[in-house]
Amino acid sequence: MADRVLIVDDERNIRRVLQALLESEGYEVVSAADGDEARAKIRRADPSFDVVLTDLRMPNCDGMELLRWVQGSNPDTPVVMLTAHGTVDVAVEAMREGAFDFITKPFEESDLSS
């Protein structure tokens, strides 16, 4: 069975690009438009997701809030933050909160590998 990835981004085109890239690498991909939708999909997931790839800035539940929620409810699920608004301070905060990695937009396809 392929690893399952949840992509969370409020920009539909980013979700589509990420989904196409990851599916071409053999991943099973599910997407959500914001953190609230992501939490609902995580709750219903069977099997669970192997990784969550989330944007930082989104309406409703943002990436940091989603990261904290995943850490509390599914602590073994790695969360990778993806943002166009990356600063050292934000990256440090995300890593302290338990983010597995922090990728800035625009990203290279190789940034998503492994």
Side-chain angles (χ1 to χ4, degrees):
M1 179 194 281
D3 285 342
R4 297 185 77 219
V5 179
L6 176 61
I7 297 170
V8 189
D9 199 302
D10 58 325
E11 295 181 48
R12 183 183 347 194
N13 288 338
I14 295 291
R15 291 193 312 268
R16 286 180 177 172
V17 167
L18 288 169
Q19 184 164 355
L21 287 171
L22 292 170
E23 285 178 345
S24 74
E25 295 290 325
Y27 294 95
E28 179 185 340
V29 179
V30 175
S31 65
D34 62 37
D36 289 337
E37 183 181 352
R39 287 190 288 206
K41 289 186 177 194
I42 291 168
R43 284 185 194 107
R44 292 190 311 262
D46 184 27
S48 63
F49 293 100
D50 296 294
V51 66
V52 174
L53 178 59
T54 183
D55 189 18
L56 180 63
R57 292 189 180 176
M58 298 177 290
N60 304 321
C61 172
D62 69 11
M64 289 300 290
E65 186 178 340
L66 179 61
L67 168 63
R68 290 179 191 110
W69 183 85
V70 170
Q71 288 297 300
S73 63
N74 300 29
D76 294 333
T77 303
V79 177
V80 176
M81 306 299 289
L82 179 67
T83 186
H85 307 283
T87 65
V88 172
D89 291 340
V90 172
V92 168
E93 179 185 0
M95 300 305 272
R96 283 186 181 151
E97 291 288 340
F100 181 79
D101 203 353
F102 192 88
I103 300 171
T104 57
K105 297 177 190 175
F107 55 86
E108 299 293 324
E109 186 174 344
S110 61
D111 293 336
L112 302 173
S113 298
S114 59

